[in-house]
Amino acid sequence: MKNIFKQGTNLSKPTLLMLHGTGGNETDLLAIAAHIDPEASVLSVRGNVSENGMPRFFKRLSEGIFDMEDLKIRTEELYNFIGQAADEHGFDRTQVVAIGYSNGANIAANLLFTYTGALKGAILHHPMVPNRHTDLPDLANTPVFIAAGTNDPICPAEESIDLEKLLSDAGAEVELHWENFGHQLTMPEVEAAKNWYDKL
Ligand code: MLT
């Protein structure tokens, strides 16, 4: 997968896996990675699907309606890619914290829904429930931060509430943070994510 890898200055830190929103690319979230943890290594990935030229991590049939077969294949592809990147760059596969926005948050959530130990933790900005027809793996000791907007037209509030419940029921430690905005990624929610990350 097309990506940018930046070696961190403190190798005891997690590796931050950055996953952009629809129409974004692997450069979009680099400033956020540097803000969350300037010492951590960063693996920022571009989604392999193109929707009318807009990169995404998996296909959708329409807004909010996912192509479940493609989601499954692309989630496996990303999971395997993280392993390959860990071998290539020498970071610890078990110490990866995903930071995703929108479509990127949705594939990060689906990594959690699919594999035990895919991620050490995750910061999900404006995610949805990626799959309502699956049993989640054991997510004990997996911290997850969800940032949601009370007026988000793309991810209605129930999506965040349901996602928090599904992850918590699987054993994850979830913090759900609300901003009174829409779907945009706001600085206050990035600050809230940083406060959460600093306590990991
Ligand atoms: C998705 O397709 O993953 C969500 O609808 C969010 C987005 O617009 O990318």
Side-chain angles (χ1 to χ4, degrees), residues 50-84:
S50 171
E51 184 184 84
N52 304 320
M54 296 189 297
R56 283 177 56 85
F57 287 94
F58 56 88
K59 291 181 190 163
R60 62 181 165 183
L61 306 177
S62 59
E63 180 66 62
I65 310 289
F66 302 153
D67 178 331
M68 299 309 288
E69 189 50 37
D70 193 64
L71 174 61
K72 183 169 182 280
I73 293 165
R74 300 294 176 184
T75 301
E76 190 178 339
E77 179 183 52
L78 179 59
Y79 179 80
N80 291 334
F81 175 74
I82 298 166
Q84 286 162 22

Side-chain angles (χ1 to χ4, degrees), residues 160-172:
S160 309
I161 292 164
D162 291 352
L163 182 59
E164 178 190 30
K165 180 160 178 14
L166 288 163
L167 291 169
S168 301
D169 287 351

Side-chain angles (χ1 to χ4, degrees), residues 22 56 58 60 63-64 66 102-103 106 128 154 183:
T22 301
R56 283 177 56 85
F58 56 88
R60 62 181 165 183
E63 180 66 62
F66 302 153
S102 190
N103 183 246
N106 291 340
M128 299 173 68
I154 294 172
H183 194 59

